[in-house]
Amino acid sequence: MSTFFSEIAAWLCLAVTTVLGGMLLCKLKNSPGQVGSRAICLMGLWGGICLLSLSLYWGLAVFSLSCSLTYAYLSGQEMLLVDQKAVLITGCDSGIGHALSKHLDQLGFTVFAGVLNEKGSGAEELRRTCSLHLSVIQLDVTNPTQIKEAHSKVVEKVQDRGLWAVINNAGVLGFPADAELIPMADYRQCMAVNFFGAVEVTKTFLPLLRKSKGRLVNISSMAAGVPMENLAAYGSSKAALTMFSAVMRQELSKWGVKVAVIHPGGFKTNIIGTKEMWDKQQKNLLDTLAPDVQEDYGQEYILALQDFLHLSNMHSSADFSPILLDVQHTVSAKSPFALYTPGKSSYLWLCIASFFPAVVFDYLRKRARGSGNMHRAISTPAQENETM
């Protein structure tokens, strides 16, 4: 008799699991960006553990409970009505900011697209292709006067509706090189644009976000959490932006403002620059190097640094949709995530850098990038170094 009731309980548990699983899949189907993929991976892993480590009955029971909890969690990921909510985006001349302005405009947001050159081709294209709800505004994030003027224009247009989101996207890369070789001017420029510019824009527009209980979204980089050779200036500035985001997330929670930081992987944008720009930056680097440093590294090594830019371009994705969907989630979901990692291997490398021993991470990074070019002082035999 007990066996009969056990079978009934098992079949009942299986039926409940099937129903909950179906409901969960419906939720996942409507979840953009990383929400659905992460939930599927976690549920699959958890379900496998339950079924393998427990009896069939208890495995299904625990898995059913986890389905219920995940369903409740995903309910908090439901999308809010757009209702022409106003968003400000910096760095919209090209690349991610440009694509994001178009994407949010198509979704029905009122978009303020901040550009470095309001008369440039990128700004003109936004005016030509987007709806009347998109406004192009001059906004150099390193210029306090332009930030204040942009604030006045936004306030004048949104009036009582308020500003729903600020998306700090503007950024510069600088010329990738060993940290010792990068001119101090490049370090200062990266900090000025990638960090101080984002901080000043945030501070200026925060009263509007507090009023709307809106969103602050900072576009950081995988390089903020994953040490990457040749990106000391860029990675350091983005790491500062990531820490700023984490602190602001805690401080602004009492105001109902939600903060998210996005760590994209490799995407093909104009942040890398043009061949002419690379040549100019490389010449500037050579002109500013101390003779002994230039001697140690060797001109051949320094001239080969442009290969890093070519390789980065080759391995970058031209499809911005992962970033667009994640940003859409940050400004639309009831409960957005604190961290998003769109792009190939971004989340994996962040996990390895955060949780693995440094020696393991260094080994994996070395294997991933290959042997590469070597400094002159390293590649030259010791006896030859002594005679130089």
Side-chain angles (χ1 to χ4, degrees):
M1 192 71 174
S2 60
T3 304
F4 175 73
F5 283 112
S6 296
E7 290 179 356
I8 292 179
W11 281 107
L12 181 61
C13 190
L14 180 60
V16 171
T17 302
T18 303
V19 172
L20 288 173
M23 294 170 63
L24 187 58
L25 287 175
C26 291
K27 282 283 185 185
L28 292 172
K29 187 178 180 181
N30 297 319
S31 300
Q34 300 176 17
V35 184
S37 58
R38 282 188 180 181
I40 289 173
C41 290
L42 289 173
M43 289 306 300
L45 178 62
W46 179 243
I49 292 172
C50 290
L51 292 175
L52 290 174
S53 61
L54 302 172
S55 66
L56 177 62
Y57 174 78
W58 285 109
L60 290 173
V62 173
F63 188 56
S64 297
L65 177 61
S66 63
C67 283
S68 301
L69 293 174
T70 306
Y71 181 85
Y73 166 73
L74 288 176
S75 296
Q77 305 304 315
E78 291 178 354
M79 300 297 105
L80 301 170
L81 293 176
V82 173
D83 196 25
Q84 293 185 9
K85 287 183 172 67
V87 298
L88 169 72
I89 311 170
T90 65
C92 299
D93 300 78
S94 61
I96 293 171
H98 191 84
L100 187 57
S101 296
K102 291 181 175 181
H103 182 69
L104 295 184
D105 175 67
Q106 291 173 354
L107 292 176
F109 285 91
T110 297
V111 178
F112 294 95
V115 295
L116 190 60
N117 182 6
E118 62 180 342
K119 295 181 180 179
S121 58
E124 289 300 327
E125 184 185 349
L126 288 176
R127 292 190 185 98
R128 186 177 66 254
T129 60
C130 296
S131 74
L132 296 177
H133 295 300
L134 182 142
S135 301
V136 175
I137 55 177
Q138 177 66 38
L139 182 54
D140 178 351
V141 298
T142 65
N143 188 323
T145 301
Q146 290 190 14
I147 293 175
K148 291 177 182 177
E149 291 174 350
H151 178 266
S152 299
K153 292 177 182 177
V154 171
V155 169
E156 180 183 358
K157 186 157 185 178
V158 299
Q159 296 181 356
D160 295 335
R161 289 191 297 117
L163 181 67
W164 176 248
V166 170
I167 303 172
N168 286 306
N169 167 73
V172 293
L173 179 68
F175 186 76
D178 295 62
E180 184 181 7
L181 302 180
I182 298 175
M184 285 307 300
D186 285 16
Y187 280 101
R188 294 188 184 98
Q189 184 191 28
C190 280
M191 291 300 293
V193 178
N194 301 344
F195 180 60
F196 291 123
V199 171
E200 187 155 6
V201 168
T202 299
K203 285 168 63 66
T204 301
F205 286 90
L206 261 181
L208 297 178
L209 293 184
R210 287 203 308 271
K211 183 178 180 180
S212 66
K213 292 182 171 55
R215 309 291 163 83
L216 171 63
V217 183
N218 291 324
I219 310 293
S220 184
S221 169
M222 183 175 76
V226 180
M228 300 177 71
E229 290 190 65
N230 298 341
L231 295 179
Y234 177 74
S236 298
S237 64
K238 288 297 189 179
L241 179 63
T242 296
M243 180 55 71
F244 174 73
S245 304
V247 173
M248 294 300 286
R249 186 184 73 248
Q250 297 177 48
E251 294 179 349
L252 295 179
S253 61
K254 59 179 174 286
W255 298 98
V257 177
K258 294 179 172 60
V259 180
V261 63
I262 298 181
H263 285 188
F267 288 91
K268 194 172 295 184
T269 71
N270 287 349
I271 195 172
I272 290 181
T274 62
K275 182 65 167 62
E276 293 74 19
M277 186 185 301
W278 301 347
D279 292 339
K280 182 179 178 181
Q281 290 176 322
Q282 191 173 67
K283 183 180 183 303
N284 179 58
L285 187 152
L286 287 167
D287 291 343
T288 57
L289 278 183
D292 57 336
V293 176
Q294 189 167 161
E295 177 68 20
D296 282 343
Y297 281 85
Q299 191 172 38
E300 182 181 352
Y301 174 82
I302 296 172
L303 293 175
L305 288 171
Q306 283 198 21
D307 294 342
F308 178 88
L309 293 163
H310 291 294
L311 288 172
S312 297
N313 232 354
M314 287 174 55
H315 292 94
S316 296
S317 172
D319 179 15
F320 293 157
S321 58
I323 300 181
L324 302 184
L325 289 174
D326 281 349
V327 175
Q328 177 186 338
H329 188 262
T330 66
V331 298
S332 302
K334 289 182 180 179
S335 301
F337 300 133
L339 172 67
Y340 295 79
T341 56
K344 185 179 179 181
S345 301
S346 177
Y347 187 67
L348 174 63
W349 277 113
L350 283 167
C351 287
I352 293 173
S354 300
F355 304 117
F356 280 51
V359 65
V360 176
F361 171 80
D362 292 345
Y363 172 77
L364 293 175
R365 285 298 299 172
K366 186 176 181 179
R367 289 293 301 271
R369 69 175 181 269
S371 58
N373 193 17
M374 294 180 67
H375 308 160
R376 177 176 178 176
I378 296 175
S379 58
T380 304
Q383 292 90 343
E384 187 176 335
N385 277 337
E386 291 175 1
T387 61
M388 289 174 63

